[in-house]
């Protein structure tokens, strides 16, 4: 619980926001660049086909697909231009994958911690705080879904860059986390070293009996 609470507190910490802000802004910029130029997106889907076409052009220079007549070298030049555009798009795509994974990894780590803290919050009957955490979880799941297909779905217009820099953490979330922490400590006090040793011995004894 302490580790998860710390993870969630760190998410909204100022020192952690700058990097995610930079990643988010670069990702948004690249997605916009591809979306705003249909030729870029189209060339990416045809990349392998263009490479194959270039490899199959014979000395006549005619189209290897439909055998249409071209002036010598003209089709090769045209396809090389298309290949150049496609390769630029491919580089954008590869960078988008790296950037989206950076945000996705942090979102997934946050989701894991929220789920565990929700379970503790439910066990100590903090219904209102659990509802806040559940709302946060739902929003993060929506964000993670958009990152699986960033060119088509990112950014989600419901989430600003500043919100993403904090992994969509709700305002005042630290109050809910503190309440859950205090209630959990009160209901489940930490065991003393003596109690821990006794519990270990008890389990060992049970294991030995099971082996007899």
């Amino acid at each position: 619980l302490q580790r998860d609470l710390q993870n969630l507190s760190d998410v909204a910490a100022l020192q952690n926001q700058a990097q995610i802000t930079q990643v988010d802004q670069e990702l948004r910029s690249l997605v916009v660049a591809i979306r705003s130029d249909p030729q870029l997106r189209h060339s990416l889907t045809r990349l392998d086909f263009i490479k194959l076409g270039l490899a199959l052009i014979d000395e006549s220079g005619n189209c290897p697909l439909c055998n249409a007549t071209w002036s010598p070298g003209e089709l090769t030049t045209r396809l090389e231009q298309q290949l150049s555009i496609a390769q630029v798009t491919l580089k954008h795509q590869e960078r988008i994958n790296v950037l989206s994974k950076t945000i996705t990894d942090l979102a997934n780590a946050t989701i894991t911690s929220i789920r565990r803290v929700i379970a503790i919050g439910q066990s100590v009957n903090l219904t209102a705080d659990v509802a806040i955490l559940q709302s946060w979880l739902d929003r993060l799941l929506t964000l993670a879904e958009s990152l699986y297909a960033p060119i088509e779905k990112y950014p989600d217009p419901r989430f600003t860059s500043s919100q993403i820099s904090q992994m969509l953490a709700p305002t005042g979330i630290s109050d809910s986390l503190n309440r859950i922490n205090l209630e959990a400590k009160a209901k489940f006090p930490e065991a003393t070293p003596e109690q821990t040793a006794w519990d270990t011995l008890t389990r060992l004894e049970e294991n030995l009996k099971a082996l007899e």
Side-chain angles (χ1 to χ4, degrees), residues 52-162:
L52 180 61
L54 278 167
L56 293 176
I57 294 176
D58 58 21
E59 62 277 1
S60 70
N62 293 340
C63 176
L65 180 64
C66 63
N67 206 34
T69 302
W70 290 74
S71 300
E74 184 179 357
L75 179 58
T76 297
T77 300
R78 178 72 64 87
L79 290 179
E80 285 176 345
Q81 291 173 346
Q82 293 295 316
L83 180 61
S84 178
I85 294 172
Q87 288 174 333
V88 169
T89 312
L90 181 61
K91 288 183 179 180
H92 286 344
Q93 175 73 72
E94 291 171 346
R95 182 60 179 162
I96 284 172
N97 291 342
V98 171
L99 296 169
S100 61
K101 185 178 185 303
T102 299
I103 301 177
T104 298
D105 287 349
L106 181 54
N108 286 338
T110 306
I111 286 168
T112 298
S113 288
I114 292 175
R115 282 175 168 156
R116 288 199 286 247
V117 174
I118 283 177
I120 297 296
Q122 290 171 334
S123 71
V124 294
N125 299 317
L126 290 176
T127 306
D129 294 309
V130 167
I132 292 172
L133 287 168
Q134 185 62 54
S135 176
W136 186 9
L137 176 62
D138 292 341
R139 286 155 57 84
L140 272 175
L141 290 172
T142 300
L143 173 63
E145 182 183 358
S146 71
L147 287 163
Y148 287 128
I151 293 179
E152 291 76 20
K153 297 183 178 181
Y154 196 83
D156 190 308
R158 290 170 289 185
F159 308 136
T160 65
S161 184
S162 61

